[in-house]
Amino acid sequence: MVEVNNILMVCLGNICRSPVAEGIMKNRLDHYNLNIAVDSAGTSNYHPGENPDLRSTKNALKNGIDISNIVARQFKVQDFDNFDIIYVMDEQNKIDVLNLSRNDTDKSKVKLMLTELPGTSYKNVPDPYFGDEAGFQLVFDLLSEACENVAQRLKHQKTLQKK
Ligand code: 4NP
């Protein structure tokens, strides 16, 4: 079992989906007293240095998560060394990240976020950027459930490791 010490959330712009994923994941890990670092990045260089899209920030805050201080950055090859799991929000993100991978170890770290939500009809976390407010709540709901599942599994693994 690979010990997980840090998790990276990745989308296209790092201003809508992955900052929400970062905020929720941190909240869930805190809830289970897990000392695991979480960061986020975008595959594109569209928005580096920017805070999250205000629609994402407002929607997350409405649901009790503050992501206003997150600053967007672009995914870089060194992220494969710095993170144990790289969750990508959609299949295009996965292609783009895998294109930068150097070996099988890098590749093995990349997972579609919603593989952590078995039973959902969504394969991808839908990009809300060009849509309406409902899209932001859908993103939040999907990520909440997926991150809860991840946190519960990591808690369980840590409990087993202590025994
Ligand atoms: P994100 O959403 O990948 O969830 O951050 C997007 C943000 C910006 C753009 C597209 C998607 N854009 O085209 O600028």
Side-chain angles (χ1 to χ4, degrees):
M1 207 183 290
V2 182
E3 197 186 338
V4 177
N5 291 309
N6 33 59
I7 296 173
L8 184 66
M9 302 297 195
V10 174
C11 63
L12 174 63
N14 193 207
I15 56 166
C16 291
R17 292 165 293 175
S18 59
V20 176
E22 176 184 338
I24 295 172
M25 196 73 241
K26 282 179 174 163
N27 174 280
R28 293 295 81 204
L29 294 171
D30 280 354
H31 176 80
Y32 290 107
N33 287 316
L34 291 165
N35 185 22
I36 295 171
V38 187
D39 193 11
S40 62
T43 55
S44 74
N45 65 352
Y46 298 162
H47 300 278
E50 293 179 24
N51 290 124
D53 188 303
L54 273 182
R55 297 167 296 169
S56 255
T57 305
K58 282 185 183 162
N59 190 267
L61 204 53
K62 200 171 81 184
N63 290 276
I65 304 284
D66 184 0
I67 60 166
S68 59
N69 288 331
I70 292 176
V71 178
R73 69 169 180 88
Q74 189 170 17
F75 179 85
K76 52 184 192 289
V77 172
Q78 292 90 325
D79 286 324
F80 287 114
D81 301 322
N82 295 337
F83 294 91
D84 301 313
I85 309 180
I86 299 169
Y87 282 119
V88 287
M89 299 299 124
D90 64 38
E91 291 162 292
Q92 186 58 50
N93 305 151
K94 188 173 180 184
I95 291 167
D96 293 338
V97 169
L98 286 178
N99 272 340
L100 294 172
S101 65
R102 302 154 299 183
N103 51 50
D104 286 348
T105 305
D106 288 357
K107 286 188 177 67
S108 71
K109 295 182 175 187
V110 184
K111 295 180 173 42
L112 264 177
M113 184 79 245
L114 294 186
T115 57
E116 300 290 2
L117 192 51
T120 182
S121 55
Y122 289 92
K123 186 159 194 189
N124 301 316
V125 180
D127 186 346
Y129 189 68
F130 295 106
D132 61 14
E133 266 183 38
F136 287 84
Q137 186 59 43
L138 173 63
V139 166
F140 192 94
D141 290 340
L142 291 168
L143 290 172
S144 285
E145 288 192 48
C147 291
E148 174 68 24
N149 288 344
V150 172
Q152 281 186 16
R153 192 180 62 245
L154 293 173
K155 181 71 180 178
H156 184 64
Q157 282 174 10
K158 203 159 207 168
T159 310
L160 289 179
Q161 279 158 7
K162 276 191 191 147
K163 281 184 182 162

